Amino acid sequence: MVLVFERLLVSNTKINAKNISLRQIFDAVPRLDVKSILSMEPIGQELIIHGWVRNFRSNRFIALNDGSSINNFQLVIDFEKFPEEVIKRISVGSCIKATGKLNPSLGAVQKSELVVDTLDILGDSDPALYPLQPKKHSLEFLRDIAHLRFRTNTFSAIFRIRHAVAFAIHQFFNDRGFFYLHSPIITASDAEGAGETFQVTTLNLDKIPRTEEGEIDYKKDFFSRPSNLTVSGQLEAELAALALSKVYTFGPTFRAENSNTPRHLAEFWMIEPEVAFNDLNDNMDLAEDMLKYVIQYILSNCSEDLKFLNDRDQEEQKQKPQQERNEFSLLEKLDFCLKNNFERISYTEAIEILKNSNPNKKGKFQYPVEKWGTDLQSEHERYLVEKHFKKPVILYNYPKEIKAFYMRQNIDNTTVAAMDILFPGIGEIVGGSQREERLEKLESRMKEMHRPIQEMYWYLDTRRYGTCPHAGFGLGFERLILFVTGMSNIRDVIPFPRYPGNAEF
Ligand code: ATP
Ligand code: MN
């Protein structure tokens, strides 16, 4: 046993010991993933490898991928040593297990290769039927086979990065003393009014129980009242923040908005930090720090995947007419975001810029900007970010009429302490505010906006007992993934997108 252990240490000096389980150490031959093998010095050591065939050429070279890396690993087989039936079953998409020796490669592309001693076909893949071939497929085609698209370079890179971003977000908050709060998925009212909700019911839709007045009898429903999937965890996060001080949620949210856009999903993930004693400026600082932290994290930890997506994006850009091409490559864009402060301007300043802008004067906006108080459309947000400032922008102090009831009213009586962060190519990525902590102000705003005061006694209780200034924001996780991967459709950065007319897989 000691011998085996020593051999492993000697031959695999470069692999990270965390990648090997105890069982593997005691196994005679270690099973390693592609990523670890690619980092090793080849000195003829024996290995076991598993993976899916990406390509098989000249009846001799297998390009194998197991998802641990964007890079394939080359296996070399001497086809005279293996029965023809086995060779025939090595096809694109099939799954194999191989043992062999890791030798320096004679090819120019790779440092090492496995000279195969034994080969098992774990899963066949009929080449006549397998939809993925070693060539470029369109994103639309791959969306229709989302159950298989993980096996492409593009999607494996996206989902490895998605993981890294999620991990970085937890790390960011954990390092700063935040507590991860699990807000409920099923809630009893669309209290916030953030969007159209999906109703949750166990009532038999063919035989809906009615009251004597003919209304739906929700007393007979599962929760004895109407309920729905959450549109946001903010209100619950506020309750916790007024005791734990610093909390964040990170969970799925659901909006039945019928918006067939490349930036909206019916099911998406949101990160919602909520911090006691923070004001609007602290809130902006927190959001900017977090976004920069995440970008830095993936630049340091996902460089190969980012390089791949960067090159992919460059290819895409070449297909476009000159004026539609991005000014920056993906990597330049991320670097730029990291090195520059986000521009912070008030809504009022933004309206002035938009009113006097060329597209507005020339009637190029679909929604012309005429007066203070109008809601900004995505064309306006993108003008500010992409044409005017050419960097991320934080807009703050919005008219209270176009914002939610819980946002803190400013001294001018017309604006609230809201902030939205706008990103190039994306538009709104973060929406947040300092919350109204003063009971009377909150109640009167709720009355004006017809929010149910009685029903929301629990929310108002935080203002009744030991209220304090606090602030928070919501970050759309998929919008962030869109930005850092350079993809253009939100349906391509979540494993199985839900949108109007589609809940496949
Ligand atoms: P938009 O105006 O883009 O629809 P919103 O104002 O409805 O956004 P908020 O209610 O403030 O958005 O939600 C917070 C964040 O969640 C947004 O900044 C955005 O990043 C994200 N988001 C909102 N709606 C969706 C959606 N349907 N799909 C994906 N992400 C979303
Ligand atoms: Mn919306």
Side-chain angles (χ1 to χ4, degrees), residues 236-441:
E236 289 89 354
E238 279 188 59
L239 311 181
L242 266 72
L244 297 164
S245 287
K246 291 192 271 188
V247 300
Y248 70 104
T249 72
F250 190 161
T253 49
F254 308 86
R255 295 188 187 178
E257 44 197 10
N258 202 357
S259 37
N260 254 311
T261 80
R263 330 218 174 282
H264 289 87
L265 290 164
E267 176 181 298
F268 63 101
W269 288 66
M270 203 157 29
I271 295 100
E272 295 180 280
E274 194 66 42
V275 186
F277 319 116
N278 265 11
D279 64 14
L280 190 65
N281 278 317
D282 301 324
N283 206 28
M284 294 190 226
D285 291 345
L286 180 67
E288 186 169 341
D289 284 352
M290 182 188 118
L291 289 164
K292 287 180 169 168
Y293 179 93
V294 168
I295 291 170
Q296 180 62 65
Y297 183 89
I298 59 162
L299 283 172
S300 313
N301 291 278
C302 308
S303 54
E304 286 185 329
D305 286 326
L306 284 174
K307 169 91 173 55
F308 174 83
L309 292 173
N310 185 73
D311 296 349
R312 182 189 176 283
D313 183 54
Q314 296 290 90
E315 283 302 311
E316 297 264 292
Q317 297 296 326
K318 277 189 206 150
Q319 317 294 325
K320 292 185 185 168
Q322 188 78 43
Q323 70 270 25
E324 281 175 35
R325 291 185 199 164
N326 291 342
E327 252 175 79
F328 292 137
S329 74
L330 172 62
L331 287 169
E332 284 166 348
K333 188 179 79 173
L334 295 177
D335 193 56
F336 183 83
C337 239
L338 210 55
K339 300 221 167 94
N340 290 281
N341 289 335
F342 298 1
E343 189 73 36
R344 299 183 184 191
I345 60 159
S346 70
Y347 166 90
T348 305
E349 290 168 275
I351 287 290
E352 282 310 306
I353 293 169
L354 288 166
K355 264 206 280 196
N356 298 321
S357 69
N358 266 332
N360 197 49
K361 286 186 191 152
K362 292 191 180 147
K364 293 261 167 68
F365 283 142
Q366 200 187 340
Y367 300 90
V369 180
E370 274 148 16
K371 58 175 196 303
W372 192 94
T374 51
D375 206 352
L376 298 182
Q377 302 296 324
S378 113
E379 57 178 346
H380 308 135
E381 297 177 343
R382 294 187 64 167
Y383 173 82
L384 289 170
V385 174
E386 287 157 34
K387 299 281 185 291
H388 191 84
F389 290 110
K390 295 181 191 278
K391 60 166 153 165
V393 173
I394 311 185
L395 288 185
Y396 60 88
N397 288 351
Y398 280 76
K400 63 177 181 186
E401 269 71 33
I402 57 172
K403 288 289 179 185
F405 72 90
Y406 51 73
M407 298 189 176
R408 193 175 198 276
Q409 296 166 64
N410 286 326
I411 216 145
D412 59 17
N413 253 328
T414 54
T415 61
V416 287
M419 63 114 180
D420 280 3
I421 302 186
L422 315 176
F423 261 31
I426 310 288
E428 182 186 330
I429 193 164
V430 163
S433 68
Q434 185 172 339
R435 318 305 189 188
E436 182 57 81
E437 84 282 15
R438 299 159 295 185
L439 182 63
E440 309 84 81
K441 296 246 183 215

Side-chain angles (χ1 to χ4, degrees), residues 9-284:
L9 289 181
V10 171
S11 61
N12 301 335
T13 39
K14 276 207 146 177
I15 56 167
N16 186 340
K18 281 188 224 153
N19 288 350
I20 315 166
S21 70
L22 257 192
R23 190 173 61 80
Q24 286 168 257
I25 290 174
F26 297 128
D27 274 353
V29 182
R31 165 157 70 92
L32 298 173
D33 63 19
V34 167
K35 190 179 176 190
S36 311
I37 296 174
L38 289 173
S39 71
M40 288 163 65
E41 284 309 319
I43 49 166
Q45 60 271 58
E46 250 190 299
L47 299 176
I48 302 175
I49 186 170
H50 294 79
W52 291 268
V53 175
R54 283 290 179 83
N55 204 353
F56 184 40
R57 61 187 172 85
S58 316
N59 264 0
R60 192 168 164 75
F61 302 106
I62 301 174
L64 199 72
N65 193 287
D66 65 358
S68 60
S69 163
I70 187 83
N71 299 307
N72 297 332
F73 176 62
Q74 177 158 290
L75 312 185
V76 186
I77 53 173
D78 181 352
F79 55 85
E80 284 175 351
K81 278 202 202 148
F82 295 87
E84 211 186 310
E85 307 88 75
V86 173
I87 299 289
K88 267 200 203 137
R89 291 169 64 197
I90 307 172
S91 63
V92 177
S94 60
C95 184
I96 62 173
K97 171 185 179 182
T99 63
K101 289 178 195 69
L102 188 67
N103 284 349
S105 175
L106 302 176
V109 189
Q110 60 274 334
K111 180 169 85 173
S112 60
E113 60 192 20
L114 195 80
V115 180
V116 177
D117 290 329
T118 71
L119 185 80
D120 291 326
I121 311 277
L122 301 181
D124 289 285
S125 176
D126 185 343
L129 299 175
Y130 188 55
L132 293 170
Q133 291 306 320
K135 61 158 197 166
K136 206 169 156 68
H137 296 286
S138 78
L139 294 173
E140 290 76 19
F141 170 75
L142 293 173
R143 221 170 280 150
D144 286 339
I145 52 162
H147 58 304
L148 296 174
R149 66 180 178 172
F150 297 105
R151 300 176 182 207
T152 64
N153 283 334
T154 300
F155 285 93
S156 63
I158 291 169
F159 292 118
R160 277 188 298 269
I161 291 175
R162 189 179 158 109
H163 159 79
V165 173
F167 185 81
I169 288 170
H170 284 299
Q171 188 151 295
F172 174 85
F173 286 120
N174 186 58
D175 286 352
R176 281 156 190 76
F178 282 66
F179 300 106
Y180 177 25
L181 182 81
H182 296 100
S183 48
I185 308 274
I186 300 176
T187 57
S189 63
D190 172 21
E192 196 199 340
E196 295 295 310
T197 61
F198 287 99
Q199 203 180 330
V200 173
T201 182
T202 52
L203 292 179
N204 179 353
L205 297 186
D206 288 328
K207 229 171 58 197
I208 296 174
R210 304 258 167 201
T211 61
E212 277 170 15
E213 293 78 40
E215 315 252 286
I216 297 173
D217 187 2
Y218 282 107
K219 289 259 163 341
K220 301 229 163 63
D221 204 352
F222 192 89
F223 298 108
S224 304
R225 61 195 289 188
S227 59
N228 53 265
L229 296 178
T230 185
V231 292
S232 153
Q234 179 204 315
L235 301 188
E236 289 89 354
E238 279 188 59
L239 311 181
L242 266 72
L244 297 164
S245 287
K246 291 192 271 188
V247 300
Y248 70 104
T249 72
F250 190 161
T253 49
F254 308 86
R255 295 188 187 178
E257 44 197 10
N258 202 357
S259 37
N260 254 311
T261 80
R263 330 218 174 282
H264 289 87
L265 290 164
E267 176 181 298
F268 63 101
W269 288 66
M270 203 157 29
I271 295 100
E272 295 180 280
E274 194 66 42
V275 186
F277 319 116
N278 265 11
D279 64 14
L280 190 65
N281 278 317
D282 301 324
N283 206 28
M284 294 190 226

